[in-house]
Amino acid sequence: MTRVLIALTSHSQLGDTGRTTGFYASEAAEPWSVFTAAGFDVDLVSVAGGRPPIDGLDEDDPIQQKFLASVDLEQTPAAAGLDASAYDAIFFAGGHGTVWDFPNDEALASLAAGIYENGGVVAAVCHGPSALVNLTLSDGRHLVDGKNVAAFTNAEEAAVGLTEVVPFLLADALTARGAIHHPAANFTPQAVTDGRLVTGQNPQSATSTAEAVVAVLTT
């Protein structure tokens, strides 16, 4: 049985704006739906364990409601308690919270590197690729070095008015690690596959990014 891990942020504060953030509901729910429809087992992991904060929840969205009814968000494990050899892929869901806690979670990075070096897939959507900024392999190279990627763009960050709020601009940070960033028009679907690295640009790319993961795992 193919097993996929969906990783979620535990960070709930949107900088000093006084607003809350977290993982973006559709960016976990839609991939979960794609993976379960493909017959995969899907587990969750979060940076701090326990219940991760949710952002952008649509109470009327049937996929999001089915996701929330089917998973145990109260008891998500932290990465340190998981074994990379148990998983065929890890999918980093986005949400602005990720840019604060994904890059510096060494246990999560180690878990993802282990999955990748065992022949598995590393995937991320929207701000989820912030997990890739400091992700290095056993040879010391950044996973994204020389790889084609998609991620939330500088133009999209400006469009939502958070350029001065986030601790770094994701597209710039990935480029600084050697990634080749491919921006599409604002808020249009964009998923990029480079070997066993699959990335998507924005919430509109969550389903297509997950479908690309399925394609890699089943071919």
Side-chain angles (χ1 to χ4, degrees):
M1 174 68 75
T2 300
R3 295 185 71 191
V4 178
L5 192 59
I6 296 178
L8 307 172
T9 179
S10 296
H11 187 87
S12 64
Q13 297 303 308
L14 190 61
D16 57 5
T17 64
R19 293 155 54 190
T20 58
T21 185
F23 76 86
Y24 206 70
S26 64
E27 296 174 26
E30 291 174 19
W32 173 87
S33 181
V34 169
F35 297 146
T36 55
F40 298 170
D41 280 345
V42 184
D43 293 336
L44 304 178
V45 62
S46 66
V47 171
R51 184 177 179 85
I54 305 177
D55 193 17
L57 179 63
D58 181 353
E59 300 282 1
D60 297 320
D61 184 271
I63 293 176
Q64 293 180 31
Q65 292 308 309
K66 186 175 182 181
F67 169 74
L68 293 175
S70 302
V71 302
D72 183 5
L73 277 181
E74 299 296 334
Q75 304 292 333
T76 66
L82 299 180
D83 178 3
S85 67
Y87 294 97
D88 301 286
I90 186 168
F91 187 101
F92 291 96
H96 271 92
T98 63
V99 296
W100 276 275
D101 66 358
F102 271 6
N104 300 314
D105 187 336
E106 294 180 2
L108 195 56
S110 177
L111 180 66
I115 291 170
Y116 188 81
E117 293 192 314
N118 288 338
V121 174
V122 170
V125 69
C126 197
H127 288 88
S130 61
L132 308 177
V133 171
N134 293 324
L135 201 168
T136 56
L137 302 176
S138 56
D139 62 4
R141 293 194 316 117
H142 286 93
L143 171 59
V144 297
D145 188 12
K147 297 285 202 307
N148 297 287
V149 303
F152 205 65
T153 68
N154 292 355
E156 287 171 325
E157 205 69 81
V160 298
L162 294 174
T163 300
E164 303 301 325
V165 174
V166 292
F168 58 88
L169 291 174
L170 178 54
D172 290 351
L174 292 168
T175 301
R177 297 304 196 207
I180 305 156
H181 180 243
H182 296 269
N186 284 4
F187 308 112
T188 59
Q190 167 87 324
V192 173
T193 300
D194 191 330
R196 290 180 289 107
L197 177 65
V198 181
T199 47
Q201 179 168 318
N202 45 35
Q204 293 76 13
S205 309
T207 293
S208 58
T209 304
E211 289 171 344
V213 172
V214 173
V216 174
L217 288 173
T218 56
T219 55

